[in-house]
Amino acid sequence: MPLDIPAFNMALNRAYDRVHRSAQPADLAAEQDKLRALVPADASEHDRTWTGHLVNDLAEPPPPPPERSDLYREAVQIHIAVYPPKGTTDEQIAMLEDGRRRIWELADRASADEEDDIRALTEDLKSMENWIANHRSR
């Protein structure tokens, strides 16, 4: 029986959340045992190796969150101010456009290692803008 990779990955992500993000951390050994049980006895050596590494890595504490600059924090504040947008359809679209423009301007001034992260803050703004525009024309 082959390894069900999507099921293993979903279980791994849930276990990671329970071990590292939950207010009531889970029993690490029990979580690792559950993950190991998802790997069939006849799984390939390759599958046993990479899943074994991931199961063992579950014990490693997550890396600290990255240090963020004032520009990044300002971009987050702009995002919070414009999402979700308020007003008429046209006002909502204008609010989102303005927010994206202001965030991109901050990204242009950011360090090379942070500019993409700042620009990424505009992705859901653009998606919302497109959704509003598409529903306006119906």
Side-chain angles (χ1 to χ4, degrees):
M1 169 189 233
L3 172 66
D4 184 342
I5 294 173
F8 179 84
N9 287 338
M10 284 193 313
L12 178 66
N13 289 333
R14 287 192 303 267
Y16 184 91
D17 287 343
R18 286 189 296 270
V19 169
H20 295 294
R21 296 187 178 130
S22 175
Q24 302 293 323
D27 177 355
L28 173 64
E31 294 293 337
Q32 289 175 315
D33 288 343
K34 289 179 202 174
L35 291 169
R36 286 185 188 103
L38 295 175
V39 181
D42 62 348
S44 70
E45 180 65 29
H46 172 76
D47 286 345
R48 284 194 310 278
T49 299
W50 71 263
T51 57
H53 289 303
L54 291 174
V55 169
N56 292 337
D57 288 348
L58 189 60
E60 297 297 318
E67 291 289 324
R68 297 299 188 178
S69 70
D70 290 340
L71 289 173
Y72 185 90
R73 288 189 287 278
E74 186 177 345
V76 168
Q77 290 305 309
I78 293 168
H79 187 283
I80 290 169
V82 303
Y83 191 86
K86 296 162 187 65
T88 67
T89 300
D90 288 339
E91 289 169 339
Q92 290 177 13
I93 290 172
M95 180 182 279
L96 292 166
E97 286 175 341
D98 181 62
R100 285 188 308 107
R101 179 191 53 76
R102 291 169 49 209
I103 291 171
W104 272 81
E105 287 173 357
L106 293 173
D108 289 342
R109 296 179 12 224
S111 65
D113 63 330
E114 198 171 56
E115 64 183 325
D116 289 339
D117 291 339
I118 293 174
R119 283 191 179 92
L121 293 171
T122 67
E123 292 172 5
D124 60 337
L125 301 181
K126 182 62 176 167
S127 293
M128 176 61 81
E129 184 182 325
N130 290 340
W131 185 85
I132 292 168
N134 289 337
H135 282 80
R136 171 178 55 186
S137 61
R138 289 185 177 178

